[in-house]
Amino acid sequence: MSTAGTALGCWDAGVIGLGYTGLSLVVALAHEGIPVTGFDIDPAIVEELTAGRSHVLDVDDRELADLAPHTFFTTDERALASRNVLFVCVPTPLRNGDEPDLSHVEDAARLLAGVLHPGQVVIIESTTHPGATEEIILPILERSGLVLDRDFLLAHAPERLDPGNPSYRLGDIARVVGGASPASTAAAVAVYRRFVAKVHPVANARTAEMAKLLENSFRFVNIALANEMADLARHLGVDGWEVLEAAATKPFGFLPFTPGPGVGGHCIAVDPYYLTWSARRAGATPALLDLAGRVNRRMPQVVADLVGEALAERATPVEGARILVVGVAYKADVADVRNSPALECIRLLTGAGADVAYADAHVPLIRQPGLSLDAVPLTAKRLAASDCVLVLCDHAAVNYQAVFHHGRLVVDARGALARRGLRGSHVRNL
Ligand code: SAJ
């Protein structure tokens, strides 16, 4: 009986899905001298990567050029058949707003079932709901006729990256690993110990899936608390940012989360709904997560209302108001607009008749259903000509002094000015 778990020593890898998770993993493996085949269904991605051009913020072209000579990119899944360890790093978005969409993971599992060979280890890094690896992915892989443990091993090791955060290299971030069988756990632990400093094995794959959802639900709920606290501070006549700054001086038992226009991105905005969907299906009631979702998803409307109130105080109707949005990415210093709450804010204000433009050096254009805008330069003239400047993403490179001095009315949904000591009667904070 040959399983990769016993044969693991010198191994090579295949990575399925070359987005920010998969490509970061290819680079981390290659840096350890592990031969890597990067697979993606999108020929354009494979072509760009083969030409040494990265489409991922945290992987620059120089890093691609430095990849070991045994790293190559392909759209041909047959190249995966000879690799010992196969990592699945494909997107797991939502369907209908709050249901897991595992279609990409299922497609990847079907593709692997077509090339699976005895001795291989399959590791799912994509975020899934508790039970998905063992109850959905394993049966698809076993349609190959191969059998778990006898022929192949399967584990879940949720990715843990913070896009745009240079402080943590992939290899420095502890990893949770749980197998569909004990032998799978052991093999996956051996795999990650090759390139990750700390590996934390758990009982099974569903435990690893649940750990990831807790991590991101923790952020989701605390962001909702920050958003609610901002609302309470406004009603109670205190400066919410000053309150937050003060509370953050507590050296223990407190983590500062900041209010904002809502929760964007492809993780925090998504993963908690994998948990609520699973919970309800199991007969549980995720009341706190549901409430946090309602609080966070209301924020674009809260921001749009704040703009309306601020304009009304200056006898300016939203209809026809010239609004300049500063920052549309889902968070600071990234170029990603997936699920960005800024887009919903723009839709709401445009829907109310405002004339909205945006400036964001990271995002040259927006092409979304019902929203097509090109970025404008952030100039003193444009700031002064706007009825309202609306800060929706606090990129570090923005000249907030200019926003403060040239903006006649500034609504700041990120505390970008307050955190820089820029306070004035013409500035309204979330
Ligand atoms: N946000 C707030 N207030 C906060 C923190 C975040 O409004 O206090 C908003 C952000 O603006 C953004 C969204 O929430 O729209 C998500 O922010 P994030 O900082 O969690 O960013 P992500 O989703 O790119 O990265 C997260 C990781 N972030 C951190 O650990 C800081 C982490 O939760 C996951 O490892 C990663 O996603 C993932 O891949 O799951």
Side-chain angles (χ1 to χ4, degrees):
M1 164 167 122
S2 83
T3 61
T6 51
L8 267 187
C10 177
W11 49 272
D12 55 21
V15 175
I16 296 92
L18 299 174
Y20 87 97
T21 301
L23 189 58
S24 304
L25 177 59
V26 167
V27 171
L29 291 166
H31 279 168
E32 290 299 323
I34 298 167
V36 192
T37 297
F39 170 88
D40 202 288
I41 56 172
D42 183 342
I45 287 180
V46 168
E47 193 178 322
E48 282 295 288
L49 292 174
T50 303
R53 288 187 293 271
S54 169
H55 60 296
V56 167
L57 168 75
D58 296 330
V59 176
D60 59 39
D61 293 357
R62 186 179 37 77
E63 273 187 292
L64 277 186
D66 293 346
L67 292 186
H70 345 288
T71 300
F72 78 102
F73 302 101
T74 182
T75 56
D76 182 352
E77 66 271 19
R78 288 172 300 178
L80 301 170
S82 61
R83 297 296 184 182
N84 305 116
V85 182
L86 303 169
F87 298 88
V88 176
C89 305
V90 297
T92 48
L94 289 175
R95 175 188 295 126
N96 305 326
D98 58 4
E99 292 170 21
D101 174 0
L102 289 186
S103 58
H104 302 290
V105 170
E106 291 169 321
D107 288 348
R110 277 188 284 273
L111 176 141
L112 287 183
V115 297
L116 206 57
H117 277 67
Q120 287 182 309
V121 181
V122 178
I123 297 175
I124 310 300
E125 289 213 349
S126 303
T127 303
T128 56
H129 58 74
T133 298
E134 291 146 346
E135 296 160 13
I136 296 175
I137 297 163
L138 177 54
I140 294 175
L141 293 176
E142 290 195 322
R143 281 183 213 150
S144 62
L146 299 185
V147 176
L148 179 71
D149 282 346
R150 188 193 72 189
D151 302 311
F152 71 96
L153 299 169
L154 172 65
H156 187 83
E159 60 89 9
R160 257 186 190 167
L161 288 171
D162 183 14
N165 183 344
S167 309
Y168 293 94
R169 259 180 3 90
L170 188 148
D172 302 330
I173 303 169
R175 293 302 285 270
V176 171
V177 175
S181 63
S184 297
T185 303
V189 167
V191 163
Y192 281 94
R193 284 207 169 122
R194 182 72 195 282
F195 64 103
V196 171
K198 186 173 181 322
V199 180
H200 182 88
V202 292
N204 47 43
R206 69 172 48 231
T207 304
E209 287 163 332
M210 185 78 173
K212 168 71 176 194
L213 297 181
L214 169 58
E215 289 166 25
N216 284 0
S217 298
F218 163 80
R219 295 184 62 73
F220 192 70
V221 169
N222 279 287
I223 291 164
L225 175 62
N227 287 328
E228 179 154 281
M229 286 303 288
D231 188 46
L232 302 186
R234 276 196 309 279
H235 282 83
L236 295 168
V238 296
D239 178 332
W241 292 96
E242 189 175 7
V243 168
L244 180 58
E245 192 180 359
T249 60
K250 182 177 179 187
F252 52 83
F254 182 80
L255 275 180
F257 284 81
T258 56
V263 174
H266 34 282
C267 306
I268 313 305
V270 171
D271 299 349
Y273 294 98
Y274 273 61
L275 188 49
T276 54
W277 179 84
S278 301
R280 256 184 280 282
R281 197 172 61 134
T285 306
L288 181 59
L289 284 171
D290 285 342
L291 179 57
R294 289 198 294 275
V295 169
N296 289 333
R297 284 184 169 174
R298 268 187 61 243
M299 291 314 293
Q301 186 63 64
V302 169
V303 170
D305 294 346
L306 205 55
V307 170
E309 289 160 22
L311 285 168
E313 285 169 10
R314 293 157 180 257
T316 307
V318 175
E319 174 97 26
R322 289 157 302 175
I323 296 175
L324 176 61
V325 166
V326 174
V328 293
Y330 81 86
K331 72 171 185 179
D333 307 329
V334 300
D336 198 341
V337 293
R338 277 180 291 183
N339 298 319
S340 174
L343 305 190
E344 181 58 18
C345 291
I346 292 172
R347 284 195 180 95
L348 290 168
L349 290 166
T350 305
D355 171 14
V356 181
Y358 85 90
D360 187 327
H362 295 266
V363 183
L365 53 86
I366 298 170
R367 292 292 181 272
Q368 300 253 328
L371 187 58
S372 179
L373 284 172
D374 290 1
V376 300
L378 185 63
T379 61
K381 185 176 175 203
R382 193 173 280 276
L383 285 164
S386 301
D387 296 306
C388 178
V389 177
L390 174 56
V391 180
L392 291 178
C393 182
D394 48 338
H395 293 310
V398 169
N399 182 348
Y400 293 104
Q401 293 282 349
V403 171
F404 181 78
H405 290 298
H406 299 292
R408 291 181 289 131
L409 167 64
V410 182
V411 174
D412 184 356
R414 291 288 191 177
L417 275 69
R419 289 203 304 268
R420 291 167 173 83
L422 298 171
R423 286 178 163 82
S425 58
H426 69 302
V427 177
R428 293 288 300 273
N429 286 317
L430 181 59

